[in-house]
Amino acid sequence: MQLEEKEKENLCMENAVEFGRFSFELEEKREQSILTQSSQMLTAFSLFSAAVLMSFPLVADYTGVPDIYAFYLSAGALLPLIISLVLAIVAQWRFKYETLKSAKDFADELQKNHKDYQSQSDYDWQWIYQLDAVQVSKKKNNNQRVIFVRISMVLFLVSVGILVIGNIGFFLIYK
């Protein structure tokens, strides 16, 4: 009976390690996805900023819209865009996070506490403990990044909305 219990414990720990690794890999992919999205937003900002800045002289020179109103519209659209840009850049920041022990530190830990490691499941516990600290740290950082990206996206849409509504208003008032 004792051997069967030990086999069950080893099987349980083996699966826990596999699930932990899979979960960690998903968090790594999530981080890369967030960073990619933030980079793509930076490209969108560049294009949109260029369009806003290029359209200002056209609106000012070739429409009946007073220059000051065109300037206010451009400034009103650029302000949330600039804040959005800053947040997208912050989302790409390499935040500090927990890392695994070095190979030497692991070896020292196992050597120092060799009596505590009687089966593979004991070693698996150590692996799970170390992996959990890294994963929790990365998840916390990724959650922060998601907040920055979401706010950035909302502000980008606000900027687009200001420009669209302002131009519709100009079209209706100054036809």
Side-chain angles (χ1 to χ4, degrees):
M1 187 69 172
Q2 183 69 10
L3 183 61
E4 187 177 308
E5 286 297 317
K6 204 59 160 163
E7 287 175 2
K8 284 182 181 179
E9 182 181 350
N10 285 342
L11 182 61
C12 175
M13 292 308 298
E14 182 181 325
N15 282 293
V17 166
E18 286 303 311
F19 288 135
R21 284 183 181 150
F22 180 69
S23 181
F24 180 77
E25 288 170 9
L26 289 177
E27 199 62 45
E28 286 280 307
K29 287 178 184 177
R30 180 176 175 232
E31 178 181 41
Q32 289 308 311
S33 175
I34 295 166
L35 292 173
T36 299
Q37 184 176 12
S38 180
S39 294
Q40 290 170 345
M41 288 180 67
L42 292 174
T43 302
F45 299 138
S46 299
L47 295 173
F48 188 70
S49 298
V52 169
L53 294 173
M54 286 174 40
S55 67
F56 174 71
L58 295 173
V59 170
D61 292 342
Y62 298 107
T63 67
V65 176
D67 290 352
I68 193 71
Y69 292 153
F71 174 76
Y72 286 149
L73 179 62
S74 295
L78 286 175
L79 180 64
L81 187 66
I82 290 169
I83 297 169
S84 179
L85 172 69
V86 169
L87 290 174
I89 292 169
V90 170
Q92 292 186 350
W93 190 265
R94 296 294 177 180
F95 297 106
K96 183 178 174 183
Y97 66 93
E98 293 290 323
T99 59
L100 291 174
K101 288 182 179 181
S102 71
K104 182 168 179 355
D105 289 342
F106 270 128
D108 291 345
E109 169 80 20
L110 297 175
Q111 191 71 25
K112 185 172 86 174
N113 299 313
H114 69 279
K115 292 177 185 160
D116 295 337
Y117 296 94
Q118 300 300 314
S119 67
Q120 182 59 45
S121 65
D122 296 331
Y123 293 99
D124 289 342
W125 268 114
Q126 181 63 248
W127 173 245
I128 290 169
Y129 175 75
Q130 292 298 315
L131 188 61
D132 182 64
V134 175
Q135 185 177 1
V136 166
S137 176
K138 282 190 156 288
K139 186 174 185 172
K140 178 183 165 221
N141 289 345
N142 286 343
N143 289 341
Q144 284 180 306
R145 284 188 174 101
V146 166
I147 290 169
F148 290 133
V149 168
R150 282 185 177 168
I151 294 171
S152 177
M153 289 175 73
V154 167
L155 289 172
F156 181 78
L157 292 174
V158 165
S159 181
V160 170
I162 288 171
L163 202 59
V164 168
I165 291 169
N167 282 319
I168 290 171
F170 286 162
F171 176 75
L172 294 174
I173 295 171
Y174 298 103
K175 343 182 198 181

